[in-house]
Amino acid sequence: MAKCYARGERVTAGGYTTDVRYQVTVHFPGQTYYFVWAWGGNVNVGADPAPGLEVCPS
């Protein structure tokens, strides 16, 4: 689940264009990574930025 978002470089890949990055937590068996940035095209939230999600504090 995305915690917040920030805007960065505009990227187009796979027919999708966005400048949004989401701060997420990634879980792998035996490991958890916090404060990971994921490009908006890799996060299925329906719109960038996701409705109701706040801008990450700087």
Side-chain angles (χ1 to χ4, degrees):
M1 170 176 245
K3 299 182 181 310
C4 58
Y5 76 93
R7 294 195 180 270
E9 181 181 352
R10 192 164 197 75
V11 175
T12 299
Y16 190 80
T17 302
T18 187
D19 65 348
V20 172
R21 306 298 187 271
Y22 292 101
Q23 192 177 91
V24 299
T25 300
V26 177
H27 301 280
F28 286 107
Q31 287 190 289
T32 300
Y33 297 93
Y34 299 93
F35 307 109
V36 175
W37 290 100
W39 175 62
N42 291 335
V43 181
N44 186 11
V45 292
D48 285 327
L53 201 59
E54 295 184 13
V55 175
C56 295
S58 29

